[in-house]
Amino acid sequence: MTMNEPKRIHLATLPTPLVRLERLERELGCGPVWMKRDDLTGLELSGNKVRKLEFVAADAVARGCDTLVTEGTAQSNHCRATAAVCAKLGLRSVLLLRPEPKGDPQGNHLLDLLFGADIRCYPRDHFEGDRPAIVDGVLAELSAAGRTPRWVPMGASEPIGCWGYINAMAELADQLGAANMSDCDVVLPVSSGGTYAGAVLGVLLHRLEGVRLLGVPVSDDVAYHTREIGDLCRRCIDEFQLSVDFADAAMRFVDGYVGEGYAIPYASAIEAIRLLARTEAIMLDPVYTAKAFSALLDGLKDARLGRERPVVFVHTGGVFSDFAWPAVLLTERP
Ligand SMILES: *Cc1c(COP(=O)(O)O)cnc(C)c1O
């Protein structure tokens, strides 16, 4: 255990496997490609969010909170994982969703309902314009009703949530050591930033000098992530007195894979989903991992990746949202 590590509640199935994608390598004729299967942290609790929520939930319980309140879209993996954690721990979850989902509940949203989440829906513009007032209003309403709510920021990307991937990097380092690969490129998707922030801090804290972390933004531009994730790292360092030397240069982003915007898929990302499905029987998701994996595939193609050193993709999960996008996944069949 690292010094100053906060308490966690064990919810994820760890360690997740580190596997080599040999059939993909053969298909592409490329160097070694590995995958850290963080899509296998659980079923209902699958993906990266549960690693962060283990710390957030422990904090909430320690403070006597009985309700977690958070926000996202109807296909938010974070909202689904939060609802699952709450069901498991006997807490209540309140999800602020935008925009209001239409039609039969599907994918993550279906699970939110089954996990018993209290769901409030808002038009996107209304939520974005009045966010602080809406959040304060919901927290005040819950308190007035005798609950003790804890707000969880989007993606659980808050300093304590960063511990999920600070620890995941130690776990990965052990597996890399066992496979004799201390030098490698590690590629992962970036959105609310807690995963990448934790990974960067983990690499520094555990002194993994051979690990080069490449974050692939899937929602916002590099300037935004540099500012937000830099800020999150500094807040985490302050709060937990981490003895690391952090500078913005520790963050490396691969630009150009957002497409038209968050959760708007594009052809090469959809193709990445199909490629991995038919070669490895592994499902990526259209919002996060498919975009980051298409960055990895481009890197393999022009030999920026996978030549001198193996490349490791962190599969952060998201499979349930595939079931909300059947038409998109099946159009433009090769
Ligand atoms: C949330 C999420 C991400 C992004 O992680 P952040 O910590 O928000 O940057 C990546 N992949 C999946 C499947 C996610 O649900």
Side-chain angles (χ1 to χ4, degrees):
M1 179 160 141
T2 312
M3 229 180 32
N4 304 340
E5 180 178 333
K7 285 209 164 46
R8 63 187 258 242
I9 297 174
H10 292 262
L11 296 164
T13 307
L14 303 177
T16 58
L18 177 68
V19 299
R20 188 158 167 187
L21 306 181
E22 290 183 17
R23 278 190 33 83
L24 179 78
E25 291 169 15
R26 249 175 283 149
E27 169 105 3
L28 300 177
C30 64
V33 182
W34 294 74
M35 184 179 273
K36 174 74 171 153
R37 297 287 312 263
D38 270 16
D39 55 324
L40 302 181
T41 45
L43 176 64
E44 299 80 357
L45 287 168
S46 61
N48 58 345
K49 299 305 182 307
V50 62
R51 288 193 188 261
K52 313 186 208 183
L53 287 168
E54 286 191 333
F55 290 95
V56 170
D59 177 70
V61 170
R63 290 168 192 262
C65 299
D66 57 13
T67 305
L68 298 185
V69 187
T70 195
E71 63 167 304
T73 63
Q75 288 312 320
S76 164
N77 300 303
H78 164 65
C79 286
R80 178 260 306 155
T82 302
V85 164
C86 287
K88 178 101 186 139
L89 298 178
L91 305 173
R92 177 141 160 229
S93 60
V94 179
L95 306 179
L96 314 184
L97 301 187
R98 64 314 195 263
E100 181 154 14
K102 302 212 167 58
D104 284 344
Q106 293 177 342
N108 286 302
H109 184 218
L110 172 64
L111 298 188
D112 295 341
L113 293 166
L114 292 169
F115 296 146
D118 170 352
I119 294 176
R120 322 281 177 94
C121 298
Y122 305 86
R124 190 186 295 280
D125 290 353
H126 172 199
F127 192 83
E128 244 114 77
D130 283 337
R131 205 173 158 282
I134 291 172
V135 171
D136 286 352
V138 169
L139 295 175
E141 173 218 306
L142 291 165
S143 299
R147 316 285 309 184
T148 310
R150 184 194 189 281
W151 171 248
V152 181
M154 194 150 40
S157 290
E158 54 178 297
I160 200 170
C162 291
W163 281 92
Y165 277 82
I166 291 177
N167 285 355
M169 285 300 113
E171 184 183 306
L172 177 61
D174 284 347
Q175 293 171 318
L176 292 172
N180 262 325
M181 308 197 283
S182 53
D183 286 359
C184 63
D185 290 319
V186 174
V187 178
L188 68 160
V190 174
S191 181
S192 69
T195 302
Y196 191 67
V200 166
L201 293 174
V203 162
L204 293 172
L205 259 182
H206 311 308
R207 300 183 199 291
L208 310 178
E209 271 123 30
V211 171
R212 194 169 63 157
L213 280 176
L214 303 170
V216 184
V218 302
S219 57
D220 297 276
D221 62 26
V222 168
Y224 172 88
H225 287 299
T226 304
R227 200 171 60 239
E228 291 293 313
I229 298 178
D231 182 53
L232 182 55
C233 286
R234 284 183 281 270
R235 281 159 55 214
C236 186
I237 290 167
D238 279 355
E239 192 166 319
F240 298 98
Q241 312 244 307
L242 303 181
S243 51
V244 296
D245 238 340
F246 171 80
D248 282 358
M251 298 180 284
R252 283 197 188 85
F253 296 108
V254 184
D255 209 359
Y257 291 88
V258 175
E260 278 175 49
Y262 174 72
I264 304 175
Y266 46 81
S268 66
I270 300 302
E271 187 41 47
I273 293 180
R274 291 176 181 153
L275 173 66
L276 215 60
R278 71 174 179 266
T279 55
E280 298 282 350
I282 292 173
M283 290 307 301
L284 298 172
D285 80 292
V287 180
Y288 301 96
T289 52
K291 290 183 178 181
F293 205 80
S294 58
L296 186 153
L297 290 173
D298 285 348
L300 291 171
K301 249 177 249 155
D302 64 19
R304 269 176 299 126
L305 292 175
R307 271 286 157 87
E308 268 108 62
R309 36 212 262 139
V311 57
V312 178
F313 183 74
V314 182
H315 189 332
T316 44
V319 69
F320 297 119
S321 64
D322 284 321
F323 301 102
W325 301 75
V328 173
L329 299 191
L330 294 173
T331 46
E332 300 165 52
R333 268 206 163 133

